[in-house]
Amino acid sequence: MSDPVTYHHLGPADMSLLLRVPEGVFDNPIDPIQAAAFLGDPRHEMVLALVNGSPVGMGSAVIMLHPDKPPAGFINEVGVLESHRRQGIASALCAALFTRLRGRGCHGIWLATEHDNIAARALYMHLKGRETTEIVVYDWDGAMDAEAGSGSGTGKTTS
């Protein structure tokens, strides 16, 4: 029997916990300056999955505001250590983010992933997401390049 997974919503006081996330959960090493900015911004949301107090997965999101629309939630990234995949952790992380975003007034939640990211697409279909085909993504300054660090918002996932 495996150890139970708990979920913790991060706030500004959780920097030490965030810095304990092992390699393989995020796309790149955590940058403490960016981590502090993320945790300090009230529009950013992050949930960690913990086993015996140690991080094994995370989900992050941002609340997007616009003058003529209600708030929308964007799921930045979901990542789970390879050793803990296919146990429902990614689904639970997404569900926790959905609840948090809806509770904060978001009237829509969305994300994007690569067409060939079969694991992510299976997860989002399992969560009853509607796959759209009408959107085209453009980027500038390498925003979608994984090595640039900002391509992580394309749904690196795994269940």
Side-chain angles (χ1 to χ4, degrees), residues 26-28 58 60 74-78 112 114 143-146 148-156:
F26 286 95
D27 291 333
N28 302 300
M58 68 83 201
S60 67
F74 176 75
I75 305 294
N76 290 330
E77 186 174 356
V78 177
E114 298 84 0
M144 298 303 289
D145 298 342
S150 52
S152 62
T154 58
K156 156 201 171 168

PDB file of all heavy atoms in Angstrom, residues 26-28 58 60 74-78 112 114 143-146 148-156:
ATOM      1  N   PHE A  26       9.203  20.288 -12.212  1.00  0.00           N
ATOM      2  CA  PHE A  26       9.171  21.459 -13.092  1.00  0.00           C
ATOM      3  C   PHE A  26      10.008  21.162 -14.335  1.00  0.00           C
ATOM      4  O   PHE A  26      10.826  20.243 -14.340  1.00  0.00           O
ATOM      5  CB  PHE A  26       9.747  22.687 -12.374  1.00  0.00           C
ATOM      6  CG  PHE A  26       8.838  23.271 -11.332  1.00  0.00           C
ATOM      7  CD1 PHE A  26       8.964  22.903 -10.000  1.00  0.00           C
ATOM      8  CD2 PHE A  26       7.864  24.193 -11.673  1.00  0.00           C
ATOM      9  CE1 PHE A  26       8.133  23.447  -9.028  1.00  0.00           C
ATOM     10  CE2 PHE A  26       7.021  24.741 -10.711  1.00  0.00           C
ATOM     11  CZ  PHE A  26       7.167  24.361  -9.393  1.00  0.00           C
ATOM     12  N   ASP A  27       9.848  21.982 -15.356  1.00  0.00           N
ATOM     13  CA  ASP A  27      10.654  21.842 -16.567  1.00  0.00           C
ATOM     14  C   ASP A  27      12.111  22.215 -16.324  1.00  0.00           C
ATOM     15  O   ASP A  27      13.012  21.655 -16.949  1.00  0.00           O
ATOM     16  CB  ASP A  27      10.115  22.753 -17.680  1.00  0.00           C
ATOM     17  CG  ASP A  27       8.782  22.302 -18.210  1.00  0.00           C
ATOM     18  OD1 ASP A  27       8.481  21.098 -18.148  1.00  0.00           O
ATOM     19  OD2 ASP A  27       8.023  23.170 -18.694  1.00  0.00           O
ATOM     20  N   ASN A  28      12.335  23.190 -15.459  1.00  0.00           N
ATOM     21  CA  ASN A  28      13.661  23.753 -15.219  1.00  0.00           C
ATOM     22  C   ASN A  28      13.883  23.882 -13.722  1.00  0.00           C
ATOM     23  O   ASN A  28      12.928  23.830 -12.942  1.00  0.00           O
ATOM     24  CB  ASN A  28      13.760  25.139 -15.868  1.00  0.00           C
ATOM     25  CG  ASN A  28      13.503  25.091 -17.357  1.00  0.00           C
ATOM     26  OD1 ASN A  28      14.215  24.424 -18.090  1.00  0.00           O
ATOM     27  ND2 ASN A  28      12.453  25.776 -17.802  1.00  0.00           N
ATOM     28  N   MET A  58       3.151  19.159  -8.782  1.00  0.00           N
ATOM     29  CA  MET A  58       2.641  20.516  -8.619  1.00  0.00           C
ATOM     30  C   MET A  58       1.722  20.863  -9.778  1.00  0.00           C
ATOM     31  O   MET A  58       1.793  20.283 -10.855  1.00  0.00           O
ATOM     32  CB  MET A  58       3.774  21.530  -8.519  1.00  0.00           C
ATOM     33  CG  MET A  58       4.588  21.739  -9.776  1.00  0.00           C
ATOM     34  SD  MET A  58       3.829  22.890 -10.913  1.00  0.00           S
ATOM     35  CE  MET A  58       4.646  22.403 -12.413  1.00  0.00           C
ATOM     36  N   SER A  60       0.158  24.695 -11.366  1.00  0.00           N
ATOM     37  CA  SER A  60       0.170  26.147 -11.210  1.00  0.00           C
ATOM     38  C   SER A  60      -0.808  26.790 -12.176  1.00  0.00           C
ATOM     39  O   SER A  60      -1.098  26.242 -13.239  1.00  0.00           O
ATOM     40  CB  SER A  60       1.580  26.715 -11.414  1.00  0.00           C
ATOM     41  OG  SER A  60       1.999  26.556 -12.753  1.00  0.00           O
ATOM     42  N   PHE A  74      -6.023  30.372 -16.130  1.00  0.00           N
ATOM     43  CA  PHE A  74      -5.141  29.699 -17.071  1.00  0.00           C
ATOM     44  C   PHE A  74      -4.258  28.742 -16.289  1.00  0.00           C
ATOM     45  O   PHE A  74      -3.562  29.154 -15.353  1.00  0.00           O
ATOM     46  CB  PHE A  74      -4.274  30.707 -17.831  1.00  0.00           C
ATOM     47  CG  PHE A  74      -3.284  30.052 -18.746  1.00  0.00           C
ATOM     48  CD1 PHE A  74      -3.695  29.481 -19.938  1.00  0.00           C
ATOM     49  CD2 PHE A  74      -1.942  29.999 -18.415  1.00  0.00           C
ATOM     50  CE1 PHE A  74      -2.795  28.859 -20.785  1.00  0.00           C
ATOM     51  CE2 PHE A  74      -1.022  29.381 -19.261  1.00  0.00           C
ATOM     52  CZ  PHE A  74      -1.454  28.812 -20.447  1.00  0.00           C
ATOM     53  N   ILE A  75      -4.311  27.468 -16.630  1.00  0.00           N
ATOM     54  CA  ILE A  75      -3.443  26.464 -16.003  1.00  0.00           C
ATOM     55  C   ILE A  75      -2.088  26.561 -16.696  1.00  0.00           C
ATOM     56  O   ILE A  75      -1.962  26.271 -17.887  1.00  0.00           O
ATOM     57  CB  ILE A  75      -4.021  25.039 -16.142  1.00  0.00           C
ATOM     58  CG1 ILE A  75      -5.447  24.955 -15.592  1.00  0.00           C
ATOM     59  CG2 ILE A  75      -3.084  24.021 -15.484  1.00  0.00           C
ATOM     60  CD1 ILE A  75      -5.590  25.169 -14.115  1.00  0.00           C
ATOM     61  N   ASN A  76      -1.074  26.963 -15.947  1.00  0.00           N
ATOM     62  CA  ASN A  76       0.274  27.109 -16.502  1.00  0.00           C
ATOM     63  C   ASN A  76       0.925  25.765 -16.754  1.00  0.00           C
ATOM     64  O   ASN A  76       1.490  25.531 -17.812  1.00  0.00           O
ATOM     65  CB  ASN A  76       1.189  27.867 -15.535  1.00  0.00           C
ATOM     66  CG  ASN A  76       0.845  29.317 -15.402  1.00  0.00           C
ATOM     67  OD1 ASN A  76       0.349  29.934 -16.321  1.00  0.00           O
ATOM     68  ND2 ASN A  76       1.105  29.870 -14.232  1.00  0.00           N
ATOM     69  N   GLU A  77       0.899  24.936 -15.734  1.00  0.00           N
ATOM     70  CA  GLU A  77       1.684  23.708 -15.812  1.00  0.00           C
ATOM     71  C   GLU A  77       1.221  22.729 -14.746  1.00  0.00           C
ATOM     72  O   GLU A  77       0.801  23.122 -13.661  1.00  0.00           O
ATOM     73  CB  GLU A  77       3.166  24.061 -15.588  1.00  0.00           C
ATOM     74  CG  GLU A  77       4.108  22.927 -15.784  1.00  0.00           C
ATOM     75  CD  GLU A  77       5.572  23.378 -15.704  1.00  0.00           C
ATOM     76  OE1 GLU A  77       5.851  24.574 -15.572  1.00  0.00           O
ATOM     77  OE2 GLU A  77       6.432  22.494 -15.764  1.00  0.00           O
ATOM     78  N   VAL A  78       1.335  21.463 -15.085  1.00  0.00           N
ATOM     79  CA  VAL A  78       1.088  20.372 -14.142  1.00  0.00           C
ATOM     80  C   VAL A  78       2.259  19.409 -14.313  1.00  0.00           C
ATOM     81  O   VAL A  78       2.579  19.030 -15.439  1.00  0.00           O
ATOM     82  CB  VAL A  78      -0.240  19.646 -14.441  1.00  0.00           C
ATOM     83  CG1 VAL A  78      -0.437  18.467 -13.492  1.00  0.00           C
ATOM     84  CG2 VAL A  78      -1.407  20.614 -14.355  1.00  0.00           C
ATOM     85  N   ALA A 112      -3.267  25.064 -22.650  1.00  0.00           N
ATOM     86  CA  ALA A 112      -2.839  24.603 -23.962  1.00  0.00           C
ATOM     87  C   ALA A 112      -1.776  23.534 -23.751  1.00  0.00           C
ATOM     88  O   ALA A 112      -1.053  23.550 -22.762  1.00  0.00           O
ATOM     89  CB  ALA A 112      -2.280  25.755 -24.789  1.00  0.00           C
ATOM     90  N   GLU A 114       0.843  20.618 -26.221  1.00  0.00           N
ATOM     91  CA  GLU A 114       1.305  20.217 -27.539  1.00  0.00           C
ATOM     92  C   GLU A 114       0.415  19.107 -28.083  1.00  0.00           C
ATOM     93  O   GLU A 114      -0.077  18.264 -27.334  1.00  0.00           O
ATOM     94  CB  GLU A 114       2.753  19.721 -27.486  1.00  0.00           C
ATOM     95  CG  GLU A 114       3.758  20.773 -27.037  1.00  0.00           C
ATOM     96  CD  GLU A 114       3.876  20.899 -25.529  1.00  0.00           C
ATOM     97  OE1 GLU A 114       3.178  20.173 -24.779  1.00  0.00           O
ATOM     98  OE2 GLU A 114       4.658  21.763 -25.089  1.00  0.00           O
ATOM     99  N   ALA A 143       8.943  32.541 -26.579  1.00  0.00           N
ATOM    100  CA  ALA A 143       8.031  32.221 -25.476  1.00  0.00           C
ATOM    101  C   ALA A 143       7.670  30.746 -25.420  1.00  0.00           C
ATOM    102  O   ALA A 143       7.423  30.217 -24.338  1.00  0.00           O
ATOM    103  CB  ALA A 143       6.758  33.061 -25.572  1.00  0.00           C
ATOM    104  N   MET A 144       7.631  30.063 -26.539  1.00  0.00           N
ATOM    105  CA  MET A 144       7.222  28.661 -26.542  1.00  0.00           C
ATOM    106  C   MET A 144       8.412  27.700 -26.575  1.00  0.00           C
ATOM    107  O   MET A 144       8.235  26.496 -26.651  1.00  0.00           O
ATOM    108  CB  MET A 144       6.301  28.382 -27.729  1.00  0.00           C
ATOM    109  CG  MET A 144       5.014  29.196 -27.690  1.00  0.00           C
ATOM    110  SD  MET A 144       4.028  28.966 -26.201  1.00  0.00           S
ATOM    111  CE  MET A 144       3.434  27.319 -26.464  1.00  0.00           C
ATOM    112  N   ASP A 145       9.631  28.241 -26.493  1.00  0.00           N
ATOM    113  CA  ASP A 145      10.814  27.396 -26.470  1.00  0.00           C
ATOM    114  C   ASP A 145      11.017  26.859 -25.060  1.00  0.00           C
ATOM    115  O   ASP A 145      11.107  27.631 -24.112  1.00  0.00           O
ATOM    116  CB  ASP A 145      12.063  28.187 -26.879  1.00  0.00           C
ATOM    117  CG  ASP A 145      11.972  28.720 -28.297  1.00  0.00           C
ATOM    118  OD1 ASP A 145      11.134  28.218 -29.077  1.00  0.00           O
ATOM    119  OD2 ASP A 145      12.740  29.647 -28.613  1.00  0.00           O
ATOM    120  N   ALA A 146      11.095  25.556 -24.918  1.00  0.00           N
ATOM    121  CA  ALA A 146      11.251  24.963 -23.591  1.00  0.00           C
ATOM    122  C   ALA A 146      12.504  25.477 -22.897  1.00  0.00           C
ATOM    123  O   ALA A 146      12.497  25.727 -21.698  1.00  0.00           O
ATOM    124  CB  ALA A 146      11.284  23.444 -23.686  1.00  0.00           C
ATOM    125  N   ALA A 148      13.801  28.310 -23.059  1.00  0.00           N
ATOM    126  CA  ALA A 148      13.628  29.689 -22.606  1.00  0.00           C
ATOM    127  C   ALA A 148      12.937  29.735 -21.247  1.00  0.00           C
ATOM    128  O   ALA A 148      12.893  30.760 -20.609  1.00  0.00           O
ATOM    129  CB  ALA A 148      12.825  30.495 -23.621  1.00  0.00           C
ATOM    130  N   GLY A 149      12.377  28.617 -20.828  1.00  0.00           N
ATOM    131  CA  GLY A 149      11.756  28.557 -19.514  1.00  0.00           C
ATOM    132  C   GLY A 149      10.311  28.977 -19.486  1.00  0.00           C
ATOM    133  O   GLY A 149       9.623  28.758 -18.510  1.00  0.00           O
ATOM    134  N   SER A 150       9.824  29.604 -20.534  1.00  0.00           N
ATOM    135  CA  SER A 150       8.438  30.030 -20.495  1.00  0.00           C
ATOM    136  C   SER A 150       7.550  29.143 -21.332  1.00  0.00           C
ATOM    137  O   SER A 150       6.359  29.319 -21.351  1.00  0.00           O
ATOM    138  CB  SER A 150       8.326  31.495 -20.934  1.00  0.00           C
ATOM    139  OG  SER A 150       8.971  31.681 -22.156  1.00  0.00           O
ATOM    140  N   GLY A 151       8.115  28.165 -21.999  1.00  0.00           N
ATOM    141  CA  GLY A 151       7.301  27.222 -22.753  1.00  0.00           C
ATOM    142  C   GLY A 151       6.623  26.221 -21.850  1.00  0.00           C
ATOM    143  O   GLY A 151       5.871  25.366 -22.288  1.00  0.00           O
ATOM    144  N   SER A 152       6.886  26.330 -20.547  1.00  0.00           N
ATOM    145  CA  SER A 152       6.330  25.360 -19.614  1.00  0.00           C
ATOM    146  C   SER A 152       4.817  25.461 -19.485  1.00  0.00           C
ATOM    147  O   SER A 152       4.183  24.561 -18.978  1.00  0.00           O
ATOM    148  CB  SER A 152       6.966  25.544 -18.247  1.00  0.00           C
ATOM    149  OG  SER A 152       6.680  26.818 -17.745  1.00  0.00           O
ATOM    150  N   GLY A 153       4.241  26.542 -19.957  1.00  0.00           N
ATOM    151  CA  GLY A 153       2.803  26.709 -19.821  1.00  0.00           C
ATOM    152  C   GLY A 153       2.026  25.921 -20.829  1.00  0.00           C
ATOM    153  O   GLY A 153       0.839  26.110 -20.998  1.00  0.00           O
ATOM    154  N   THR A 154       2.657  25.017 -21.514  1.00  0.00           N
ATOM    155  CA  THR A 154       1.956  24.291 -22.553  1.00  0.00           C
ATOM    156  C   THR A 154       1.518  22.912 -22.094  1.00  0.00           C
ATOM    157  O   THR A 154       1.237  22.059 -22.906  1.00  0.00           O
ATOM    158  CB  THR A 154       2.812  24.193 -23.815  1.00  0.00           C
ATOM    159  OG1 THR A 154       4.037  23.558 -23.486  1.00  0.00           O
ATOM    160  CG2 THR A 154       3.054  25.557 -24.418  1.00  0.00           C
ATOM    161  N   GLY A 155       1.446  22.697 -20.820  1.00  0.00           N
ATOM    162  CA  GLY A 155       0.815  21.503 -20.316  1.00  0.00           C
ATOM    163  C   GLY A 155       1.709  20.321 -20.168  1.00  0.00           C
ATOM    164  O   GLY A 155       1.325  19.206 -20.446  1.00  0.00           O
ATOM    165  N   LYS A 156       2.923  20.475 -19.733  1.00  0.00           N
ATOM    166  CA  LYS A 156       3.814  19.357 -19.478  1.00  0.00           C
ATOM    167  C   LYS A 156       3.163  18.503 -18.422  1.00  0.00           C
ATOM    168  O   LYS A 156       3.143  18.919 -17.309  1.00  0.00           O
ATOM    169  CB  LYS A 156       5.133  19.881 -18.947  1.00  0.00           C
ATOM    170  CG  LYS A 156       5.846  18.832 -18.153  1.00  0.00           C
ATOM    171  CD  LYS A 156       6.811  19.449 -17.259  1.00  0.00           C
ATOM    172  CE  LYS A 156       7.327  18.412 -16.362  1.00  0.00           C
ATOM    173  NZ  LYS A 156       8.339  18.550 -15.611  1.00  0.00           N
TER     174      LYS A 156
END
